[in-house]
Structure formats: structure tokens, C-alpha cells
Amino acid sequence: MLKTDYSPLLESFQFASGISLKNRVVMAPMTNFSSNEDGTVSGPELDYYIRRSKGAGMVITACVYVSRGGKGFAGEFGADRDELIPSLRQLAEAIKGEGAKAVLQIFHGGRQCPPAQLPDGQPVSASNVPSELPGGGHGPVPRALTDEEIEGIIADFGAATRRAIEAGFDGVEIHGANGYLLQQFFSPHSNTREDRWGGDVQKRLAFPLAVLRAVKSAVNEHASSPFLVGYRFSPEEPETPGITMAESFVLIDALKEEGLDYLHASLQELWSLPRRGTEDSRPRIEQIVDRAGSGLPVIGVGSLYSANDALKGLTSGIRLVALGRPLLIEPDWVQKVAEGRADEIRTELDTAAQSTLVIPDPLWGALTHTPGWIPVKS
């Protein structure tokens, strides 16, 4: 029986900026709830990243808050002040020391921030529209940001980028996905403003594009060597009104025009089909790749557990395959592919293997108490 040729996954990749990756596999950003209360990275968290940085060509960290009022999770680490640069440097060095490029995901949670995580207990957003929860409920009502506060948060993204550069990261990824603040400004569901930050689809682009410009300005001013700027987005929203595929195409066009090193499409299932806003019935990822064009590499993610899943993913036109949950279950995923042992890749979490998987207690608790979120070996 012929062995499958997985070499496309192991090919090197070079971004237009000149930064090269040793293979096409990226560790996707995943919240791990394991940082210290003061926003520094913990020892168990460093060990967790070291365990997963030996194989992947690039590691995108869990998101860091750029403003203290944007902390979205318990145990999230920060990039909102210079005192955290040594902690960030530890993480960058831990990842790069294993041979992977290190990218810091920068974020503001907006209305998704739990009130208990905020200094004043008050989430903020584009408008005072709460999020819709499964089952028909609503999240906390956020306070609409003032013009001055919006400008301050844009500056915070730029400052966090400077800190990432000083800490030795190879790039930043702007988190514009999963219902967080950038998406809240772009969405007609959460943004009902009538000033320069809201209105039609072009006006709702104002905040995400201003953040991108602030980030790129910080790179131009502070980086002395190539430094990646990526953008993660969610292509559709279930709410009505909500972001459609047509509006996502407008976003992609605008990001392309501004200039970007890569686009990261956040999908639960890579091959999921569009809901609305396109007459094209092909999977969303194929339409996203087409819209991005040859000059803007797309990273795809979404339930790619086996080497066959990931190999098939490349046929969609994505240039890089991001693995999140698969690398929690199998930290040696890339090494097993490289050694011709792809059939030994574990695709279900072994609940007796926390220590060998090097998963910190808070993340382990989340994995083992969230039915269906991750395949579990019974």
C-alpha cells in the first residue's frame, strides 16, 4: 500500500516581507486561561508553548489585551504597559528557541469582556447593544465608547505592537474575529453609531482600518527587521442584521488595499458553507482565497485533526494550515508527519495524559469540562 505524500505540509514558506517558515503548519491562537493575575506569562504557560513550538513553522499566541479595559478572559496575559515587556520577551524566546516564528495576537474584547475581569466592571463596545447568547439570552449591556476613547484604543494597538517588537516577536496578528471589538465595529448588529465610526459598510470599516494603520505605523517606526502584520476575521455572523459574505468581501478588499502580510480566516470547520451574501455555493474558504488573490496569503483553520485533513485543506488554496485543538491533543503532530508516522497522530484527547501533553491546569479543566468542544478518548 502506497504511503500518502504529506510533503506539501512540510514545504517552507516565505512571506513577501522576507520572513520564512520551515513548514506550512501554524499553531492557531488559543486562550489557555493560565497567565498570572498581573498579566505576566506563567511558567506552566511557557512550558505549554515550548512543547508545541518544536514542530510548527509559526506559533500565534493566545490573545493579549492591549487595554486593561479590554481583558476578555481570566488568566489572559497583557501587552498594555511597558512593565510587561520582559514577560513578553520570555514567551517570544521560548517559542523561537524551539525553531518556530513567534507572532503575538493583539486584542480588545469589547462587549465580550466579563465584567468581573474589568477594573470598573463595565464592558464597552461600538454601541450599547448586548451580544446574543445561545438559547435566546443576552450578554451584559455595554457602554458605547466615546470618540476620544476610540482614538485611545487605536493608539493602544500601536503601543502593544511596539512592545511586541521590543520583546522580540516576529509579528503581530490583529484579532478582528470571533465577535471581539474590531468585529463589533464592523458588524451592523453591534454597531448602530451615526458618527464617523458607524453607518454603512464602508463607515463601519473605519475602526478596523485605523487599528491596522496604527499597527503598521508602529512597525515602520520601531522594527529594524521584517515584522509580520496579520489580521484574523470571521467571515459571517448568525445574527440578523449581521456580517454577510458580501460584507466580508468588502473587508478583504480594504485590508488588501492597506497592505497586509496574511489574512487568517477563523472557521470552526474549514469546509463550512456560506449562509448568505453570495450566490456562490462553494465553501467559504475557497471564496475567501479567491477574493484575497495571489498576493495575500490566507491561513485556514477549522477541525483539521489528521494529516489527511490538513493536506486536503491545502487544496482550498490556503497557503498555511493552522491547527488549534489538534495541537492540544497531539503536540508532536508535525514531527509525526515528518517521520512518516502520520497514522500515529492522536485525534482524541487522552484524559490521562495531561503531564505528557504539558497542558496547564486551567486549560485542562476547560478542555475536560466542555462537552463536544474537543474529541475525547473514552
Side-chain angles (χ1 to χ4, degrees):
M1 181 174 155
L2 285 173
K3 278 239 179 201
T4 304
D5 178 15
Y6 295 113
S7 59
L9 293 167
L10 303 173
E11 289 174 2
S12 61
F13 179 78
Q14 186 171 53
F15 291 98
S17 65
I19 289 180
S20 295
L21 308 184
K22 62 186 178 184
N23 58 49
R24 302 299 179 103
V25 179
V26 174
M27 179 173 169
M30 288 178 288
T31 302
N32 57 55
F33 315 105
S34 302
S35 302
N36 297 317
E37 188 58 38
D38 63 358
T40 56
V41 179
S42 68
E45 203 172 4
L46 290 173
D47 293 340
Y48 157 86
Y49 279 107
I50 288 168
R51 181 73 178 85
R52 286 160 179 79
S53 299
K54 290 179 174 67
M58 183 166 89
V59 170
I60 306 171
T61 71
C63 56
V64 292
Y65 51 89
V66 302
S67 314
R68 186 58 188 83
K71 184 177 180 181
F73 311 94
E76 181 184 1
F77 68 116
D80 64 322
R81 57 194 193 279
D82 285 358
E83 290 81 0
L84 293 173
I85 292 173
S87 168
L88 294 170
R89 186 176 294 118
Q90 275 190 301
L91 178 56
E93 289 176 352
I95 293 168
K96 292 165 69 170
E98 301 300 325
K101 293 293 188 285
V103 173
L104 187 72
Q105 191 186 60
I106 52 178
F107 145 107
H108 189 297
R111 70 180 185 182
Q112 303 287 71
C113 295
Q117 296 300 321
L118 303 176
D120 62 356
Q122 176 60 64
V124 295
S125 186
S127 305
N128 61 350
V129 180
S131 57
E132 294 183 6
L133 302 176
H138 292 91
V141 177
R143 178 178 62 76
L145 289 159
T146 67
D147 190 82
E148 186 179 4
E149 288 172 324
I150 292 169
E151 293 283 7
I153 291 171
I154 292 165
D156 290 343
F157 274 94
T161 302
R162 171 183 59 78
R163 294 179 189 113
I165 293 166
E166 293 181 13
F169 281 92
D170 297 295
V172 292
E173 178 174 282
I174 300 166
H175 197 346
N178 302 3
Y180 299 123
L181 188 63
L182 274 83
Q183 184 174 330
Q184 289 163 33
F185 269 87
F186 185 56
S187 168
H189 178 270
S190 43
N191 186 348
T192 58
R193 300 178 76 101
E194 295 177 354
D195 60 2
R196 64 187 176 124
W197 304 108
D200 63 20
V201 66
Q202 293 294 338
K203 288 184 173 178
R204 296 197 311 274
L205 279 170
F207 180 72
L209 294 184
V211 166
L212 175 57
R213 288 169 192 150
V215 166
K216 290 182 67 178
S217 175
V219 173
N220 291 337
E221 187 176 345
H222 299 286
S224 56
S225 56
F227 188 86
L228 298 171
V229 176
Y231 190 102
R232 195 177 206 214
F233 81 109
S234 296
E236 288 187 276
E237 290 180 323
E239 295 89 356
T240 303
I243 296 169
T244 65
M245 285 298 291
E247 289 181 322
S248 284
F249 294 151
V250 173
L251 173 66
I252 294 169
D253 291 348
L255 294 172
K256 263 178 73 175
E257 195 170 321
E258 291 289 328
L260 203 59
D261 289 291
Y262 70 82
L263 189 65
H264 189 173
S266 181
L267 297 165
Q268 284 291 100
E269 301 283 342
L270 183 71
W271 298 103
S272 58
L273 300 176
R275 291 188 183 95
R276 58 191 174 186
T278 175
E279 298 300 311
D280 191 334
S281 61
R282 290 180 302 155
R284 292 185 279 199
I285 192 64
E286 294 183 5
Q287 298 186 50
I288 289 164
V289 167
D290 282 357
R291 197 73 182 206
S294 59
L296 179 56
V298 176
I299 300 178
V301 68
S303 301
L304 305 174
Y305 288 97
S306 71
N308 286 329
D309 293 337
L311 189 64
K312 185 190 174 197
L314 289 178
T315 67
S316 70
I318 59 175
R319 310 294 286 282
L320 299 165
V321 173
L323 305 180
R325 290 168 289 178
L327 285 181
L328 296 178
I329 295 168
E330 178 57 270
D332 299 318
W333 197 102
V334 178
Q335 295 93 311
K336 287 185 175 180
V337 171
E339 293 164 8
R341 298 189 294 132
D343 56 343
E344 295 177 28
I345 288 174
R346 291 169 294 190
T347 57
E348 295 177 313
L349 183 69
D350 182 350
T351 54
Q354 181 185 1
S355 60
T356 56
L357 296 177
V358 192
I359 295 178
D361 289 343
L363 176 57
W364 187 255
L367 294 177
T368 53
H369 292 92
T370 311
W373 188 77
I374 195 164
V376 173
K377 184 178 176 184
S378 52

